[in-house]
Amino acid sequence: MHIGIPSIACGNFASVVNTVARAGGQATLLARPEQVRECSKIIIPGVGAFDHGMRSLHDEGWSQPLHEFATQLKRPVLGICLGMQLMCRSSEEGVLPGLGWIDAQVRRFKFPEGSSLKIPHMGWNTIVVCRDNPLIARTDGEQRFYFVHSYHAVCSQQEDVIATTRYGSDVTAAFQRDNVMGAQFHPEKSHRFGLGLIRKFVELPC
Amino acid sequence: MLKHRVIPCLLLRQGGLVKTKRFRDPVYVGDPINAIRIFNEKEVDELMVLDIEASREGGEPDFELIGQCAGECMMPLCYGGGVRSLEQARQLFALGVEKVCIQSAALSDMKILREIADVFGSQSVLFSLDVRSGLFGRRFAYHAAKRMDDSRQWHELLQAAVSHGAGEIMLNAVDRDGMMKGMDVALIREAAGQLSVPLIAGGGVGSLADIRQAVEAGASAVSAGAFFVFYGPHRAVLITYPRYQELEALLQGVQR
C-alpha cells in the first residue's frame, strides 16, 4: 500500500514524490485510473487553470475512481493548490463543476480600488490554525508556507476550515472534512513546515 | 502577513554555475546541485535558475539537469533560458519547476506568455526584462540573447507582457549586474508603480540595506546573484543567505 499521485496533465509531480520520500513515505505516479483503488492514499497536486484540471480528470478517466476512493472507500486524499480547489463544488475561474467533496466555492481575490495587494497571492505567508486537525500541528511558533494562487476556496461549513492565511482578508489556507484534505499552499515547496505536513499525511492511519 | 521574497538567482552555463558582471565575463562558482543543497539548509524563500546560453545558442533547456535541480529544491524553483514553446513549459512543470521565466521568445512574440498562462495559470509564467541605462538617464530594453537593444520602450514591454498573461515581472538592471554597488531604485519605483502583478527586482544587491531599499520602492521580491555567492573584496566563492530572523528584522514595517 502506498500513496498514489494521478498523473493528470496539470501536475507538478517530481517535487511531491520527493517530499513524500523525504517524509519517510513512498509515492508513485499513477499512469492509469484503475490503479487508484490499489492505493492507500492519494495526493492530487496541480498547477493551472480550474477547467483545464477538471477536463483532464474527466477526459483521462480519473474522476470516477477518485470519487469512489474519496467518498466510498473513504481513504485519505490530499489536494494541493489547484488539487485542493478541484475538490470544491465550483470555481469562478471556470464553468465546469468541481469534484464537490467539500462544500466550498472557489472565488477570485477581490480587493478594493486602489489596493496595493497584487494578484496572484504569491510568496511566503503565515497561517493561523483554527482547530485540531490531522495535518497541521497547533504550535506556538510561526508556521509559514509558500502560496501561489489567484483564487481561494470559500467553505460553506466553517468547521471544514483548518487554517487561514491573511491576504486582504482571512482566506482558507487548508481544509479538511473526514478523509478529504486540501492545502492551498505548496507543502512540497515549504521547507520543514511543508515537510511536517506531508509527514503527518504519510503517517495517517488508513 | 505576506513576506517579501529574497531570491538567489543562479546562472547556469554548460551545466555549471557562473556569475557575470554586467552580463559579461562569467566566472565559474560551483555545481548547481551542491548549491541547491546549501540553499535548502538555509531555507531560502525561492530560487531562480537561469541558463544564460540556452537562448543564445538556440538550444533547448537542459531538462535532465533541471529535473535534478527541481527534485532537490525544497523551495519554489523558477527556471529560465531557451524556453520558447508551451510543450517545453509543460515538460518543465512536470519536472517540478514552479515557474518558467521567459525573455527572448516573448520579445519575439508575446503570445507565448498567453499560451502558457491559459494552460498553467498566470502565476506560473514570468516575463523577464533586462534594462540598460544610456546617456542622459535614458533607459533601453536589452535583448540579452541577441546582445542588442530592443527598439521598444521598456515600460511598454512590461505592460504588454502583463496583458498577455505574465503573472510576475523580473526586472534586471544590466549595468548593476554583479557589481554589488546598489540597485537602480528609481527604475524599481517606476516599474512597481505601474504594475498590477508582483515585481522581482534584480541587479546590484551588495548589502541587506539594498534589499530593503528595493522593497521600499515597491518590489515584491528581490533577487541577487553575486551577493549570495561571493564573499569579501576578492570575490571568494562562498554561498550565504541571511537568517530568517535577519530578513524579518530587515523588512519589518515596509508597507505592501
Side-chain angles (χ1 to χ4, degrees), chain B residues 10 19-20 41 60 70 116 128 148 160 166 171 175 183 192 199 201 249:
Chain B
L10 304 176
K19 183 56 202 141
T20 50
E41 281 169 27
E60 285 241 311
I116 298 173
S128 126
M148 57 190 279
L171 188 62
D175 326 81
M183 306 190 75
L199 172 70

Side-chain angles (χ1 to χ4, degrees), chain A residues 18 116 124-125 142 191-192, chain B residues 3 43-45 244 256:
Chain A
N18 288 332
S116 64
W124 291 82
N125 207 338
E142 178 187 285
H191 294 302
R192 64 194 143 95
Chain B
K3 317 279 181 184
E43 299 191 342
V44 308
D45 292 338
Y244 179 67
R256 287 199 73 87

Side-chain angles (χ1 to χ4, degrees), chain A residues 3-198:
Chain A
I3 298 176
I5 302 176
S7 56
I8 50 174
C10 52
N12 57 335
F13 314 118
S15 31
V16 177
V17 171
N18 288 332
T19 307
V20 170
R22 281 198 180 98
Q26 198 196 346
T28 314
L29 209 53
L30 306 179
R32 298 188 319 275
E34 308 87 84
Q35 294 170 289
V36 166
R37 56 180 323 157
E38 297 161 15
C39 300
S40 55
K41 292 169 192 166
I42 291 282
I43 296 179
I44 308 177
V47 288
F50 189 88
D51 277 1
H52 185 256
M54 282 315 300
R55 210 169 286 127
S56 59
L57 282 181
H58 291 317
D59 294 355
E60 294 156 29
W62 295 100
S63 350
Q64 178 52 37
L66 284 175
H67 203 71
E68 180 198 67
F69 190 90
T71 60
Q72 289 161 35
L73 301 174
K74 286 193 176 294
R75 294 185 195 146
V77 195
L78 172 64
I80 295 174
C81 197
L82 177 70
M84 170 202 200
Q85 297 182 0
L86 297 177
M87 295 171 155
C88 301
R89 288 192 182 285
S90 65
S91 171
E92 289 181 356
E93 191 184 11
V95 294
L96 296 176
L99 294 164
W101 301 338
I102 297 279
D103 188 3
Q105 289 192 315
V106 182
R107 300 225 176 101
R108 188 169 167 87
F109 279 111
K110 279 193 194 70
F111 302 120
E113 193 79 20
S115 164
S116 64
L117 294 176
K118 317 258 174 176
I119 298 172
H121 171 216
M122 171 152 40
W124 291 82
N125 207 338
T126 50
I127 61 162
V128 174
V129 180
C130 312
R131 63 165 166 86
D132 289 329
N133 70 83
L135 277 188
I136 311 170
R138 299 182 93 159
T139 58
D140 295 334
E142 178 187 285
Q143 299 197 68
R144 59 184 197 278
F145 293 93
Y146 186 80
F147 290 82
V148 190
H149 60 127
S150 303
Y151 296 80
H152 60 97
V154 179
C155 291
S156 305
Q157 316 294 324
Q158 199 50 43
E159 67 268 24
D160 291 348
V161 178
I162 60 175
T164 61
T165 188
R166 185 91 189 154
Y167 197 60
S169 58
D170 287 332
V171 298
T172 310
F175 59 42
Q176 176 251 332
R177 171 167 286 259
D178 306 325
N179 57 319
V180 177
M181 297 158 234
Q184 181 58 66
F185 47 81
H186 286 274
E188 77 281 15
K189 292 290 169 176
S190 298
H191 294 302
R192 64 194 143 95
F193 307 99
L195 188 61
L197 181 150
I198 295 292

